[in-house]
Amino acid sequence: MHVTAIIAAGGRGLRFGAVEPKQLLRVDGRPILERSVTAFVTHPAVHEVIVALPAELAADPPAYLRDAIKPLHVVAGGARRQDSVANAFGVASKESDIIVVHDAARPFVTADVIARTIAAARETGAAVAAVAASDTVKRARREGGAVVAETLPRETIFLAQTPQAFRREVLADALKVADAATDEASLAERAGHSVQIVDGDPTNIKITTPDDLPIAEAIARRGAPARTGRAGTGYDLHRLVPGRPLVLGGVTIPADRGALGHSDADVVCHAVTDAILGAACLGDIGRHFPDSEPKWKGASSLDLLSRAVALVRAQGLGVGNVDVTVILEAPKIRDHIDAMRANVAKAIGLDVARVSIKGKTNEGVDAIGRGDAIAAHAVALIRVI
Ligand code: MG
């Protein structure tokens, strides 16, 4: 089954009132249009994407429409929404069995909603994503102001979203309907086709007026990380030399060799710091606290860890847990692990039950096994707070 996605972005957003076309406005740093297009370009059920843009934008499309990972075509929109969709339909691959149409102004469409709509259209011919009304719905008549004519039975009311998907011949019929319509499903209805309703998503909002932007920002920031968390890994290795203290997790451990480095060379703190920064896509410890800068020379690594956590917190993210493996031939660190966990937990601001530290040797193999180096691996999970 070959599927073409049409992204309708031909409007000028007159209700929005901004100078820039609303589909180019950024939500949490990413343009609305780019978010909508990416949802379809990256969807496994979609084979090609056609974007209908206002003529001036179609002539000079944004870069993210030029180097997509799937076939992507840009067409100029028409006077009405259905004219834009018809222009796009005209260049759809001849192989396409299903055409799925989506409003560019709905940037939070999920992969599940796209999959459901396509599957229902394949089975029934036409499908629309919609959410059941939660408000009581009144039909009004105009008598000066609006007067309630009747209260509609709520269980029969659904609010239509996009995507809306159609077998090719059904959309062809729908686009022959001459009357103007606000979506393709109503054209298909008027052409005599039955349209299946599938579950939309309450977060699949349409950004229509500036009032929608704060809601869109909130959805963008709280979406995926809130549901799944974000993992990061960290790794660090230092040479072991005589005459240096061995500091691990802020604990100085009696040893005849210590880790060489500008700071206290605490591999536990360094690996945990990198894992936390990595989970937030904030780079690494060397970027924020370069040892070439005098102010970080000899710095306590527990202090740097706290500073990294503050950077992550500033993004609205908090640490869920960390797990560390220290690789060291000698001495045994078993008796110091609880003190190390307490220090690391305090530096992060985390319950000690969420900080795990384990020790391992390298069985005499390689530089660590010979006692010439110490290493640590860390994993951190962070999430929206
Ligand atoms: Mg280090």
Side-chain angles (χ1 to χ4, degrees):
M1 185 184 63
H2 192 279
V3 176
T4 295
I6 293 175
I7 310 297
R12 283 172 179 75
L14 296 180
R15 282 177 286 179
F16 211 84
V19 181
E20 193 179 31
K22 81 170 175 192
Q23 53 270 44
L24 300 188
L25 292 178
R26 288 171 185 268
V27 173
D28 195 28
R30 291 174 58 198
I32 292 168
L33 176 63
E34 187 264 332
R35 286 175 175 273
S36 300
V37 170
T38 298
F40 286 85
V41 167
T42 59
H43 198 284
V46 173
H47 299 88
E48 72 168 350
V49 175
I50 303 168
V51 184
L53 291 176
E56 62 275 17
L57 270 179
D60 182 23
Y64 49 81
L65 298 184
R66 285 187 233 125
D67 22 69
I69 54 170
K70 284 181 188 168
L72 188 151
H73 313 286
V74 171
V75 297
R80 302 171 304 173
R81 175 197 166 87
Q82 67 225 69
D83 302 324
S84 297
V85 171
N87 289 355
F89 186 48
V91 302
S93 164
K94 298 292 170 253
E95 289 173 69
S96 283
D97 313 295
I98 300 286
I99 315 285
V100 53
V101 182
H102 185 66
D103 281 332
R106 294 187 188 271
F108 305 117
V109 62
T110 64
D112 284 349
V113 171
I114 295 171
R116 272 200 288 278
T117 313
I118 291 171
R122 181 162 72 157
E123 205 167 303
T124 68
V128 54
V131 291
S134 54
D135 295 333
T136 301
V137 182
K138 313 283 188 189
R139 193 175 63 74
R141 61 172 182 271
R142 294 281 170 189
E143 284 177 9
V147 175
V148 172
E150 68 174 314
T151 297
L152 302 174
R154 187 167 65 187
E155 61 280 8
T156 67
I157 304 296
F158 289 83
L159 308 177
Q161 303 184 331
T162 65
Q164 305 186 353
F166 310 89
R167 283 194 205 134
R168 182 186 194 98
E169 63 277 11
V170 173
L171 184 60
D173 279 352
L175 292 173
K176 284 178 199 148
V177 174
D179 303 339
T182 52
D183 71 352
E184 287 64 45
S186 46
L187 293 172
E189 292 154 39
R190 284 182 225 171
H193 294 283
S194 163
V195 179
Q196 180 76 35
I197 291 175
V198 300
D199 285 340
D201 190 307
T203 63
N204 181 26
I205 64 163
K206 185 173 185 182
I207 300 174
T208 307
T209 71
D211 289 340
D212 298 323
L213 280 179
I215 299 164
E217 288 284 346
I219 293 170
R221 283 165 197 243
R222 300 200 65 99
R227 284 196 290 271
T228 60
R230 294 164 62 166
T233 76
Y235 168 75
D236 196 29
L237 179 145
H238 282 260
R239 288 168 58 197
L240 291 173
V241 295
R244 284 274 301 179
L246 180 62
V247 182
L248 290 177
V251 177
T252 303
I253 294 173
D256 49 14
R257 290 171 155 204
L260 185 64
H262 286 284
S263 66
D264 54 21
D266 185 332
V267 291
V268 169
C269 287
H270 293 181
V272 171
T273 302
D274 265 3
I276 290 170
L277 290 172
C281 279
L282 283 175
D284 62 15
I285 189 168
R287 174 176 146 196
H288 295 282
F289 316 111
D291 53 20
S292 54
E293 273 186 33
K295 73 170 164 176
W296 304 126
K297 191 170 175 176
S300 152
S301 297
L302 282 172
D303 180 42
L304 300 187
L305 172 56
S306 292
R307 288 169 186 266
V309 171
L311 292 171
V312 169
R313 272 186 191 276
Q315 307 259 319
L317 299 165
V319 179
N321 74 297
V322 298
D323 183 26
V324 185
T325 300
V326 180
I327 311 170
L328 173 67
E329 210 63 21
K332 293 280 178 227
I333 61 171
R334 193 186 320 135
D335 294 343
H336 305 285
I337 278 180
D338 284 342
M340 291 158 59
R341 290 174 61 213
N343 285 346
V344 171
K346 188 168 175 225
I348 298 175
L350 201 57
D351 190 300
V352 73
R354 291 173 176 270
V355 176
S356 157
I357 298 178
K358 315 178 296 294
K360 228 177 169 49
T361 73
N362 248 9
E363 296 280 338
V365 177
D366 77 17
I368 295 173
R370 286 193 302 275
D372 291 337
I374 180 172
H377 294 271
V379 171
L381 187 80
I382 64 172
R383 57 195 174 195
V384 172
I385 48 177

